[in-house]
Amino acid sequence: MNNQELISQAKAVLSNSYSPYSNFKVAAAILTENGIVYTGVNVENASYGATICAERTAAVKAVSEGERKFIKIAIISSSGEFTYPCGICRQFLADFMDDASEVILSNDKGEEKVFKFGELIPGVFRGEDIK
Ligand code: THU
């Protein structure tokens, strides 16, 4: 699956974003090692703090279906600008993404930015570090 196809899958669910507090819609699409795509949107909460980002929604959907390894993740938002994953999501994704796996950002001009996951969270704490 190419990057544009993965971005399209994220775009297809953006309107499902539940974001009445920020009005900032985010969608993500994850390609797993089994070749399956899991999408997710941000799900906000009246408490604000219980809000779940789009990236973690997609990740928990994948993991709940038995997936453990993600090849790449595409992220888009209603801002039309490149939207970077927050720090909590970067740490959360680290359990399922290698440094060499890819993070694809897209804006509303159809431009892409592609990062290696390791570039976005250098020196990440990983489960293997727990002794
Ligand atoms: N948000 C995401 O879903 N992913 C990101 O990468 C950045 C932030 C959401 C959380 C909240 O619902 C809204 O965007 C504003 O922060």
Side-chain angles (χ1 to χ4, degrees):
M1 160 152 315
N2 69 36
N3 292 352
Q4 278 304 321
E5 287 169 338
L6 199 61
I7 291 163
S8 295
Q9 299 232 23
K11 281 185 181 158
V13 297
L14 186 63
S15 63
N16 294 334
S17 164
Y18 175 72
S19 42
Y21 306 105
S22 73
N23 290 312
F24 185 66
K25 296 179 191 292
V26 186
I30 290 171
L31 176 68
T32 70
E33 67 175 346
N34 294 315
I36 300 172
V37 173
Y38 295 86
T39 58
V41 297
N42 53 329
V43 181
E44 298 188 343
N45 186 263
S47 71
Y48 289 28
T51 291
I52 303 171
C53 292
E55 297 89 330
R56 277 177 288 142
T57 302
V60 297
K61 283 172 67 179
V63 173
S64 292
E65 295 304 315
E67 302 284 358
R68 292 292 185 269
K69 191 161 185 206
F70 306 162
I71 306 301
K72 50 188 177 178
I73 181 170
I75 304 163
I76 59 155
S77 82
S78 57
S79 74
E81 310 284 338
F82 294 113
T83 296
Y84 289 76
C86 81
I88 292 173
C89 287
R90 294 180 201 204
Q91 183 66 56
F92 192 88
L93 289 167
D95 269 42
F96 312 105
M97 295 184 79
D98 293 336
D99 283 354
S101 57
E102 287 184 339
V103 179
I104 301 140
L105 312 182
S106 177
N107 65 11
D108 64 2
K109 298 190 187 80
E111 297 163 332
E112 272 178 40
K113 279 191 183 181
V114 182
F115 297 92
K116 295 292 182 200
F117 182 70
E119 287 182 84
L120 293 183
I121 186 161
V124 63
F125 180 73
R126 292 192 180 276
E128 304 91 84
D129 300 328
I130 301 170
K131 296 247 159 55

